[in-house]
Amino acid sequence: MSGNPFLGPQPYRAADRARFFGREDVTRKLSNHILAYPCITLFGPSGAGKSSVMQAGVIPHLVDTLDSRVVYIEGWLRDEAPLERLVRALFHQLELGAPPEELSAPQGLEAALELAEQQSSRPLLVYLDQFEQLFQQGRDAGRTDELLKNLRELARGSMRGVHLVVAMREDYLGRFRDRARGRRELLEQGFRLGPLSVGEMVKVACQLAETGTPAQQWSRDEVLALMLQVRIPGQGETEDSEVQAAFAQIVCRALWEERAKGNSLGWVQAEPMLHRYLEATLEGLGPLKPHARRLLEEQLVAGDGSRTLLMEKQARAVLSELSEVEASTVLTRLEAAAVLHAEEHQGSRYFELGHDWLARKVFELKRERVRQEEAAQKWREEQARREEEAARRLREERAARRRLALVAGGTAAVSLLLGLLLLWALGQRKEAEEARAHARAQALMAGAREMRERADFATVSKLLLEVKHPGQVRGWEHLAYELLRTPVPITTLRCPGSTQAASFSPDGSHIALTCGDGSVRVWRAEGTGEPVVLKGHEDSVSSASFSPDGQRIVTASWDKTARVWKADGTGEP
């Protein structure tokens, strides 16, 4: 074992068994539970370590103690029938040969189990991970029902020594039960795997730090303070609180790297580490960053912010603008940084983001990029409109000059008169041009003042730069100095004491701001008017969030209560 011992947001595997600490008891209990029943539903919150416990704990344990055979499916491709995926996995991983092409998928499953029984009497574990992907938006419900129907037959115990484990996030457990209703064999036995506690994660982190190269000795008090920062929101600041394991791995990985470089850190903050993790990984790709970012944003995150799977061939097609070496560099570095997780599949590989947190972060980056592109496109359209307007005025002026030239080419008899008329016309035109220039300068100044009121400081600066002879325009210098002094924020919302949290309503029209005096103030998003003040907590408020319809607000306080209010402040909480 060498280098950084913290994996980041990806599961432990059999190869990581030597540094898989803190899960010995649950590994033993889950192993016994699996052996006691033909089918187990393994569920827990995202990042609780279901895949790690199975791959680095249960599976090696069953292989060592019972010489079990294992068939393992880690992900479900959107365009692949799940039952066919299971049949191919059985034939391939148990080395039963090629699946008979003339058989249907249910017949293929039956044939694979018969061959497996003939092959050996050793126990067979069928582990289906990330089962929630089959219930996500856009999945073929008919194909999923076909798989559930055949899994029911497998769970009935028609073949002795077969144990089925179906693992999923617990927020999808309700959908699974709805779809599996009437198939009690799939629902009877469940095993919930909760996250590590803060105290347990502290012990694991200190043990892991000692296994790195070079070994590091971490202060338990310092690690405890760090783990408390990545505990599950809403839980108390105690060692019994549950920790968000993926976040803990990310911050510990970052902390280990900083210590390995000899950087002496004071009080360690988790949130900046989490924010920098993905951005630093992308920045490290240099000129390949835009291609990597496009791959993550457009191919590996769904429209609802969830993770999707992508075959390696498809990933390389997205990176087709790069050379083969550059494309390999992007995929290899993202995988090494645990941003991408890769699995073998039918002689190739598929990729997915290493954790749901990364999917959410990529989704946020994508929305910000789209917003910036839309703003840039709007600015370009406005520029094109102004350039066209300037060209039109220039054409008009050139046409006027051509008409004057024709008049000047008249007969000699009227040349003097025409000359006088020309001088007069030139004088009038100069006055008109000066008037137009003055009017345009006033229009630009009016637009700049309007944009200043709207806090569009970029447009204000551009309009001021377009004013010709600014020293002759009244108010230009004052507005320019005012712009230079203007701070970046659009508006500033204030409340008594310190503030710990702020959140937008779903429609973006209001902002809830927590205050150190135990109140919450609900402002209009543009900062106008007086806020609605929600009072009642006996200590400072740590968080405030709107309901999906924006009609209610839930607040949590250090006085150990959470209260639900009407967003307009009426009634009692």
Side-chain angles (χ1 to χ4, degrees):
M1 188 179 306
S2 62
N4 194 327
F6 295 95
L7 298 184
Q10 64 176 345
Y12 285 82
R13 310 201 179 270
D16 307 308
R17 185 181 181 186
R19 57 183 177 189
F20 185 59
F21 304 132
R23 291 290 199 172
E24 293 79 11
D25 288 343
V26 75
T27 294
R28 184 182 65 258
K29 291 178 182 178
L30 179 55
S31 298
N32 293 337
H33 211 65
I34 291 172
L35 295 175
Y37 303 100
C39 179
I40 296 293
T41 302
L42 174 62
F43 61 93
S46 176
K50 300 179 292 297
S51 299
S52 297
V53 168
M54 284 298 299
Q55 293 187 61
V58 172
I59 291 177
H61 173 71
L62 294 180
V63 171
D64 290 347
T65 57
L66 300 177
D67 196 22
S68 295
R69 295 172 292 173
V70 178
V71 174
Y72 172 37
I73 296 179
E74 188 173 16
W76 306 87
L77 297 174
R78 189 176 296 273
D79 56 354
E80 182 179 35
L83 181 57
E84 295 177 2
R85 173 78 186 279
L86 174 58
V87 171
R88 283 194 293 270
L90 284 165
F91 274 92
H92 174 68
Q93 296 181 33
L94 295 178
E95 299 181 352
L96 303 177
E101 296 182 0
E102 69 276 7
L103 298 182
S104 65
Q107 293 171 335
L109 177 61
E110 184 178 351
L113 293 175
E114 290 178 357
L115 289 173
E117 190 170 20
Q118 296 171 11
Q119 179 191 61
S120 173
S121 61
R122 293 156 51 204
L124 172 60
L125 172 63
V126 179
Y127 173 40
L128 308 181
D129 199 4
Q130 299 196 54
F131 211 69
E132 69 273 3
Q133 292 178 353
L134 297 178
F135 305 109
Q136 292 174 347
Q137 184 178 4
R139 290 287 184 165
D140 189 321
R143 288 179 167 182
T144 301
D145 288 338
E146 180 187 34
L147 176 64
L148 293 175
K149 176 182 177 181
N150 284 273
L151 289 180
R152 178 192 184 187
E153 299 301 321
L154 184 61
R156 282 180 169 177
S158 57
M159 174 182 167
R160 294 184 60 188
V162 176
H163 301 278
L164 173 65
V165 177
V166 177
M168 69 189 73
R169 284 168 29 192
E170 65 183 0
D171 50 327
Y172 281 83
L173 192 58
R175 302 186 202 181
F176 171 65
R177 288 172 174 166
D178 288 342
R179 296 290 290 277
R181 185 176 291 123
R183 301 183 176 107
R184 62 179 180 80
E185 294 86 356
L186 300 177
L187 302 173
E188 284 181 334
Q189 299 299 325
F191 190 100
R192 184 183 187 273
L193 181 67
L196 287 170
S197 69
V198 169
E200 290 170 335
M201 192 64 207
V202 169
K203 181 179 179 180
V204 169
C206 291
Q207 285 183 279
L208 275 174
E210 293 179 357
T211 66
T213 302
Q216 295 184 12
Q217 299 292 327
W218 285 7
S219 163
R220 186 185 186 281
D221 291 340
E222 182 180 44
V223 178
L224 174 60
L226 185 62
M227 293 301 102
L228 286 172
Q229 295 176 55
V230 291
R231 69 186 186 279
I232 293 178
Q235 297 195 5
E237 194 171 353
T238 69
E239 293 191 32
D240 294 328
S241 299
E242 294 177 335
V243 74
Q244 300 177 89
F247 289 4
Q249 280 281 347
I250 290 171
V251 298
C252 286
R253 183 179 178 87
L255 178 59
W256 196 95
E257 292 289 350
E258 290 298 323
R259 294 280 168 82
K261 295 175 184 176
N263 295 334
S264 178
L265 303 178
W267 176 256
V268 180
Q269 293 287 339
E271 184 175 355
M273 291 181 178
L274 297 173
H275 290 175
R276 290 195 301 267
Y277 177 72
L278 179 60
E279 294 162 358
T281 301
L282 293 175
E283 289 294 338
L285 288 168
L288 300 178
K289 173 186 175 181
H291 303 279
R293 182 168 176 172
R294 186 181 65 188
L295 174 68
L296 299 180
E297 293 179 359
E298 297 180 2
Q299 303 297 325
L300 290 161
V301 177
D304 60 357
S306 61
R307 292 185 287 173
T308 61
L309 298 178
L310 186 69
M311 294 300 298
E312 183 171 12
K313 182 178 180 181
Q314 296 171 311
R316 291 186 178 276
V318 175
L319 301 173
S320 59
E321 297 178 3
L322 303 177
S323 68
E324 184 174 349
V325 173
E326 290 173 328
S328 296
T329 299
V330 170
L331 296 175
T332 301
R333 289 192 184 179
L334 291 178
E335 184 180 356
V339 172
L340 284 185
H341 167 59
E343 276 296 321
E344 297 294 328
H345 179 65
Q346 296 185 6
S348 182
R349 298 193 303 166
Y350 67 80
F351 294 104
E352 64 176 339
L353 288 168
H355 193 268
D356 291 336
W357 174 82
L358 290 174
R360 292 193 296 270
K361 183 64 177 177
V362 170
F363 191 59
E364 292 173 5
L365 292 175
K366 179 180 180 180
R367 288 193 298 185
E368 177 62 20
R369 176 180 59 81
V370 170
R371 187 194 67 79
Q372 293 177 354
E373 290 177 351
E374 289 176 349
Q377 178 62 24
K378 187 178 296 185
W379 183 84
R380 287 193 294 269
E381 291 173 355
E382 178 63 18
Q383 283 292 101
R385 186 191 65 78
R386 291 180 178 178
E387 291 173 359
E388 176 60 27
E389 179 66 18
R392 183 188 63 79
R393 289 197 299 267
L394 181 59
R395 289 193 298 270
E396 291 176 353
E397 292 175 357
R398 287 176 176 172
R401 285 197 293 270
R402 285 195 295 271
R403 288 193 294 271
L404 288 174
L406 290 175
V407 172
T411 62
V414 295
S415 60
L416 179 59
L417 177 60
L418 289 177
L420 294 174
L421 290 174
L422 178 60
L423 290 175
W424 177 83
L426 291 174
Q428 289 296 106
R429 188 180 69 179
K430 182 177 180 181
E431 292 179 2
E433 290 177 347
E434 292 176 350
R436 284 198 298 271
H438 179 73
R440 183 170 185 275
Q442 293 303 315
L444 290 172
M445 290 297 295
R449 293 188 184 96
E450 181 180 353
M451 291 300 102
R452 178 197 60 187
E453 295 299 323
R454 297 182 183 180
D456 188 351
F457 305 117
T459 304
V460 171
S461 62
K462 186 174 186 311
L463 292 174
L464 290 178
L465 291 174
E466 290 185 7
V467 175
K468 295 181 178 180
H469 308 297
Q472 302 175 11
V473 178
R474 183 179 179 182
W476 186 94
E477 183 175 353
H478 175 76
L479 186 56
Y481 279 115
E482 184 178 345
L483 175 64
L484 293 175
R485 292 193 300 269
T486 301
V488 174
I490 296 174
T491 185
T492 300
L493 311 179
R494 301 184 183 278
C495 68
S498 62
T499 180
Q500 296 192 28
S503 62
F504 277 97
S505 62
D507 61 1
S509 63
H510 288 77
I511 298 173
L513 185 67
T514 67
C515 299
D517 66 349
S519 68
V520 173
R521 282 165 164 74
V522 183
W523 298 80
R524 293 187 181 92
E526 70 272 21
T528 61
E530 293 297 321
V532 174
V533 181
L534 308 179
K535 288 187 175 181
H537 282 296
E538 299 175 358
D539 202 343
S540 61
V541 182
S542 60
S543 68
S545 300
F546 283 89
S547 61
D549 60 2
Q551 298 301 309
R552 291 164 295 168
I553 298 174
V554 61
T555 61
S557 169
W558 291 104
D559 66 5
K560 302 183 180 179
T561 67
R563 306 191 182 198
V564 181
W565 315 73
K566 290 185 179 179
D568 59 5
T570 61
E572 293 296 323

